[in-house]
Amino acid sequence: MDKLTIDDFKKMLRNALVCITERSDEFSKLDAVLGDGDHGTAIVQSMSALVATADKGTEFKSMLNDMSFNLMLEISGSTSTLLGGFFLGMSELDVAGVKAMFAGGLEGVRKQTKAKQGDKTMMDALIPAVEAIQACDSADVKAILTVGAEAAVKGAEATKDMKANFGRARNYGERSIGYADSGASSWSCMFDAFAKAL
């Protein structure tokens, strides 16, 4: 698979929504340990809004812009702001374009947060995923997304041993160790779903 079509991308989004919905209780339980316990609901609402907008899209750049702005207008909160920034940063879509799209997505998120890898946030899944996608030499879109998904899952798992430095979870200090971060877990689920959709 040397190109990612708009239909492939819509399939990736729909699969991410299904997978995230299936695990939404898990994400809320993780969030309840260190936050307000609404992450499962927030990520499902945000992904649902993205899928609904994407379904109407006929051209990548305008679809991604519409997805991002509609999400941020329809749903308030950090989840929608960060996901909106992620998709707003994306553009073209051959293998080089997919790499550029995910790099742009990461830059879009970096404009919204100062969190870095190691802070026990969704960045612990996003940064390794994008770095793995960039480093992958394959000319196959599915292969580079699979490598990214594997890195995101490992990154999310690694948050269990981290102390939270951002959001409500930082108030728990050392007590945040031993639990995976809900945002990193949901973003790793999204990347895994993207790869499996193709």
Side-chain angles (χ1 to χ4, degrees):
M1 174 174 206
D2 61 352
K3 295 240 187 228
L4 184 71
T5 68
I6 197 164
D7 287 335
D8 291 332
F9 191 72
K10 289 177 183 181
K11 190 180 350 175
M12 289 166 51
L13 289 170
R14 284 191 295 268
N15 195 49
L17 174 58
V18 168
C19 294
I20 284 170
T21 300
E22 286 171 355
R23 294 179 57 192
S24 64
D25 287 346
E26 171 193 345
F27 303 141
S28 286
K29 285 176 186 165
L30 286 169
D31 191 37
V33 173
L34 305 171
D36 55 8
D38 72 343
H39 185 69
T41 302
I43 192 78
V44 169
Q45 287 175 337
S46 294
M47 286 304 299
S48 296
L50 288 169
V51 167
T53 303
D55 281 343
K56 300 173 200 150
T58 57
E59 186 271 324
F60 266 116
K61 192 156 186 67
S62 62
M63 180 185 75
L64 290 164
N65 282 335
D66 290 347
M67 285 168 55
S68 302
F69 287 116
N70 289 347
L71 174 61
M72 291 187 275
L73 286 171
E74 287 178 28
I75 299 174
S76 62
S78 60
T79 299
S80 61
T81 301
L82 295 169
L83 269 174
F86 180 68
F87 288 106
L88 190 60
M90 296 179 168
S91 62
E92 315 158 39
L93 301 167
D94 57 5
V95 168
V98 171
K99 288 183 176 189
M101 176 178 79
F102 281 94
L106 175 57
E107 286 313 304
V109 172
R110 283 186 166 140
K111 291 175 183 172
Q112 306 294 329
T113 181
K114 290 184 171 69
K116 296 183 286 306
Q117 195 171 352
D119 284 332
K120 194 177 183 116
T121 69
M122 44 79 68
M123 298 300 270
D124 290 296
L126 176 58
I127 292 171
V130 173
E131 287 177 349
I133 287 168
Q134 301 307 311
C136 186
D137 291 335
S138 178
D140 182 72
V141 171
K142 181 173 175 56
I144 67 171
L145 291 178
T146 299
V147 166
E150 290 166 356
V153 169
K154 284 182 188 160
E157 289 170 359
T159 64
K160 289 179 184 171
D161 299 324
M162 296 176 188
K163 181 172 78 96
N165 295 323
F166 270 82
R168 288 182 187 91
R170 76 174 177 268
N171 299 326
Y172 287 82
E174 297 295 325
R175 291 177 294 159
S176 67
I177 297 170
Y179 300 94
D181 178 69
S182 60
S185 298
S186 66
W187 279 66
S188 72
C189 179
M190 180 177 68
F191 271 93
D192 189 56
F194 284 170
K196 288 178 177 165
L198 300 180

